[in-house]
């Protein structure tokens, strides 16, 4: 990694304005509107936005400069993210850019890096994450998808059988990175390998799971005698667990979702100003004002804590398991913000309109523009305290590893 330069406050402000000007000029209006209203972005819209970022050199600013990274300081990365979110840019595909890319940069063979990283940078590949299984979520090490090494037609391959579940956006992906069991005799964590699997391989099937929110986010992925070249294993055989765990380091500072919380809070503020109850704007109704201001205070506390962590990282300190609290607090806060949005909009949020997932609903007199997506949004964020380590697991980590209980 290249040493990041810490900018002066003036230079950081100039950088902020530069990012702001870019997003204001380049983000297509239709995409901005959809993000502002909480609608789902199509793959084509996402790729179009990513292509603009790539053209500006900002697709993967956090990667090393050898791979088109920008060498930004943590503060710059935070400012970049804040401006993107404040101007309703879609959230980036974290699985490809935040997970798989950094894993290949750290653990991939030169051949894997040369093949896969340029394809990510060219937006040819969309990756999904195949970790969870029907009986392996929090207890991920108990996963059972089996990869047996065989020689087929003179080639060394793994033959993969099993299934993954909750695979986000597998319907968009052409590659999946999977944790698979390569040794059934070894202790759970020691018999797992990290495989890169082409979704077009014979024997791979994707089945959608439509959530209560109506969104097609989740999928099941089935593997039936899927042949995967041994050269597509990352790291040593049976060393996949350590690679998977190291992902945590890549995402630590993002876990609090500060920028996303800020955007959602701004949305609830807009609701408070535009929606009336008993003839006055909601922001003047005590029940709303009290809940909204409490959320604001919680948000500012979170943002200040994250800033403190960021400064520690910037000063060269390694962050430990205490960052688990950022995920815990940030994901709960988002849910409370979305709950207030639904409570504020009331029965108007109940009518379910499937078309409103991808297209802004036609304006209806007396119905807030935020109403059609409010329930779906609330249910989507319900998953935030489960994905990436549930709140119960975070509490356990904090109790054992931080407080020594
Ligand atoms: C929005 C979202 C996106 C996701 N995307 C992906 C993806 O792309 N790829 C992927 O592989 N997976 C994905 N997942 C799956 C996610 O990783 C799992 O849901 C998560 O690990 C929890 O596993 P589980 O659902 O099997 O629940 P379980 O592990 O069965 O847990 C059920 C309940 O028991 C509690 N519990 C479990 N163990 C303990 C314990 N030791 N102590 C206290 N309480 C405990 C949990 O907190 C939870 O409340 C996604 C999930 C969500 C919600």
């Amino acid at each position: 990694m290249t040493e990041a330069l810490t900018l002066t406050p003036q230079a950081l402000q100039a950088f902020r304005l530069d990012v702001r000007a870019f997003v204001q000029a380049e983000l297509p209006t239709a995409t901005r509107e959809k993000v502002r209203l909480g609608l789902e972005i199509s793959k084509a819209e996402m790729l179009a936005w990513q292509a603009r970022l790539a053209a500006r050199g900002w697709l993967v600013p956090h990667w090393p400069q050898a791979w088109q990274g920008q060498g930004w300081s943590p503060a710059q990365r935070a400012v970049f993210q804040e401006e993107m979110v404040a101007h309703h840019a879609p959230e980036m595909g974290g699985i490809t850019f935040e997970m798989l890319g950094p894993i290949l940069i750290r653990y991939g063979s030169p051949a894997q890096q040369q093949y896969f990283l340029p394809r990510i940078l060219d937006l040819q590949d969309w990756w999904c994450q195949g970790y969870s299984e029907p009986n392996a979520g929090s207890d991920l090490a108990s996963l059972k998808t089996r990869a047996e090494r065989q020689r087929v037609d003179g080639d060394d391959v793994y033959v993969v059988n099993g299934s993954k579940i909750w695979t986000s956006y597998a319907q968009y992906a052409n590659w999946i990175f999977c944790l698979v069991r390569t040794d059934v005799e070894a202790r759970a964590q020691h018999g797992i390998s990290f495989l890169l699997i082409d979704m077009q391989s014979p024997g791979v099937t994707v089945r959608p799971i439509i959530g209560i929110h109506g969104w097609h986010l989740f999928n099941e992925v089935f593997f039936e005698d899927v042949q995967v070249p041994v050269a597509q294993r990352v790291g040593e055989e049976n060393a996949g667990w350590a690679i998977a765990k190291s992902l945590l380091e890549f995402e630590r500072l993002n876990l609090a979702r500060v920028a996303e919380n800020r955007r959602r809070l701004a949305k609830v503020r807009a609701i408070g100003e535009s929606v009336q109850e008993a003839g006055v704007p909601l922001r003047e109704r005590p029940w709303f004002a009290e809940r909204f201001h409490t959320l604001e205070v919680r948000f500012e506390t979170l943002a200040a804590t994250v800033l403190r962590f960021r400064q520690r990282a910037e000063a060269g300190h390694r962050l430990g398991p205490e960052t688990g609290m950022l995920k815990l607090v940030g994901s709960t806060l988002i849910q409370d913000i979305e709950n207030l949005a639904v409570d504020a909009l009331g029965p108007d949020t109940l009518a379910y309109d499937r078309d409103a997932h991808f297209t802004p609903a036609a304006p209806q007199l007396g119905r807030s523009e935020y109403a059609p997506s409010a329930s779906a949004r609330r249910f989507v964020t319900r998953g935030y305290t489960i994905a990436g380590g549930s709140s119960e697991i975070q509490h356990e980590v904090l109790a054992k590893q931080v407080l020594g209980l």
Side-chain angles (χ1 to χ4, degrees):
M1 281 277 193
T2 314
E3 188 100 346
L5 289 176
T6 303
L7 298 185
T8 61
Q10 293 79 4
L12 196 60
Q13 178 62 9
F15 173 74
R16 183 184 288 282
L17 296 180
D18 195 18
V19 175
R20 188 174 298 170
F22 170 81
V23 66
Q24 283 174 338
E26 295 288 331
L27 181 63
T29 311
T31 307
R32 175 183 302 123
E33 268 307 278
K34 287 177 67 172
V35 174
R36 185 179 72 80
L37 295 173
L39 308 186
E40 193 167 4
I41 300 300
S42 70
K43 182 177 180 182
E45 287 167 322
M46 185 58 111
L47 287 176
W49 172 233
Q50 289 175 349
R52 298 202 186 190
L53 285 167
R56 181 68 176 77
W58 287 351
L59 184 65
V60 285
H62 53 296
W63 286 17
Q65 280 163 312
W67 290 107
Q68 298 189 17
Q70 291 289 333
W72 288 345
S73 66
Q76 267 177 296
R77 286 171 56 181
V79 162
F80 179 76
Q81 205 197 19
E82 278 168 22
E83 289 299 318
M84 288 290 146
V85 171
H87 294 88
H88 310 296
E91 269 111 47
M92 293 287 287
I95 287 177
T96 303
F97 303 112
E98 306 282 343
M99 292 187 170
L100 197 266
I103 284 227
L104 288 178
I105 289 166
R106 187 181 286 188
Y107 299 102
S109 66
Q112 288 167 346
Q113 293 178 346
Q114 294 300 333
Y115 181 75
F116 287 111
L117 295 176
R119 291 173 61 93
I120 293 178
L121 295 169
D122 287 352
L123 305 173
Q124 287 183 60
D125 290 341
W126 185 299
W127 286 84
C128 62
Q129 179 193 26
Y131 283 12
S132 306
E133 297 183 6
N135 292 310
S138 303
D139 183 16
L140 186 58
S142 65
L143 63 90
K144 292 205 163 42
T145 293
R146 184 82 171 95
E148 282 180 277
R149 201 161 164 158
Q150 293 180 13
R151 202 150 173 87
V152 177
D153 299 333
D155 295 324
D156 277 334
V157 297
Y158 288 106
V159 177
V160 179
N161 280 286
S163 70
K164 298 290 176 180
I165 195 166
W166 313 124
T167 321
S168 299
Y169 295 114
Q171 75 273 26
Y172 290 170
N174 55 335
W175 283 86
I176 180 168
F177 57 94
C178 281
L179 291 180
V180 293
R181 186 153 301 285
T182 34
D183 186 345
V184 287
E185 309 293 333
R187 255 189 42 214
Q189 284 90 338
H190 296 143
I192 292 172
S193 298
F194 194 103
L195 279 194
L196 311 175
I197 303 179
D198 184 345
M199 302 278 282
Q200 314 306 321
S201 311
V204 177
T205 314
V206 178
R207 190 189 294 164
I209 302 174
I210 306 299
I212 191 173
H213 35 63
W215 285 32
H216 181 185
L217 164 62
F218 298 126
N219 299 274
E220 282 179 282
V221 183
F222 298 90
F223 301 93
E224 200 178 327
D225 291 330
V226 178
Q227 294 181 16
V228 182
V230 167
Q232 283 170 212
R233 186 193 68 226
V234 179
E236 296 296 315
E237 190 168 84
N238 298 325
W241 187 253
I243 295 174
K245 282 274 142 189
S246 75
L247 266 183
L248 281 177
E249 273 181 44
F250 298 128
E251 52 185 21
R252 280 207 163 118
L253 280 175
N254 295 329
L255 291 174
R257 297 175 184 265
V258 170
E260 194 183 341
N261 265 301
R262 192 190 303 275
R263 175 153 60 77
R264 288 167 188 269
L265 204 53
K267 176 184 73 177
V268 179
R269 183 182 294 109
I271 291 171
E273 282 160 7
S274 58
V275 175
Q276 295 208 340
E277 187 184 66
V280 294
L282 274 178
R283 65 158 195 268
E284 292 173 24
R285 301 288 291 168
W287 73 267
F288 178 89
E290 187 187 333
R291 276 175 69 182
F292 179 72
H293 294 309
T294 306
L295 292 172
E296 271 188 315
V297 170
R298 283 170 59 189
F299 170 73
E300 293 302 338
T301 313
L302 175 69
T305 309
V306 171
L307 189 63
R308 193 158 46 83
F309 274 102
R310 193 162 276 129
Q311 283 163 345
R312 275 176 50 196
E314 220 165 338
H317 297 289
R318 245 198 135 123
L319 303 178
E322 68 276 18
T323 49
M325 74 177 165
L326 303 179
K327 198 233 164 201
L328 197 57
V329 172
S331 54
T332 314
L333 181 58
I334 280 197
Q335 290 174 351
D336 291 345
I337 291 172
E338 291 299 332
N339 284 345
L340 179 55
V342 169
D343 290 349
L345 295 164
D348 276 354
T349 63
L350 294 179
Y352 175 69
D353 180 356
R354 178 169 288 280
D355 293 337
H357 288 304
F358 283 107
T359 321
Q364 283 176 37
L365 197 62
R367 191 183 190 206
S368 164
E369 59 178 348
Y370 295 104
S373 64
S375 288
R377 265 291 161 201
R378 170 204 236 176
F379 288 124
V380 168
T381 51
R382 180 64 190 85
Y384 285 17
T385 46
I386 302 170
S390 70
S391 291
E392 290 78 9
I393 298 295
Q394 303 297 335
H395 277 124
E396 211 167 272
V397 168
L398 290 171
K400 283 191 183 148
Q401 296 182 28
V402 180
L403 301 174
L405 299 175

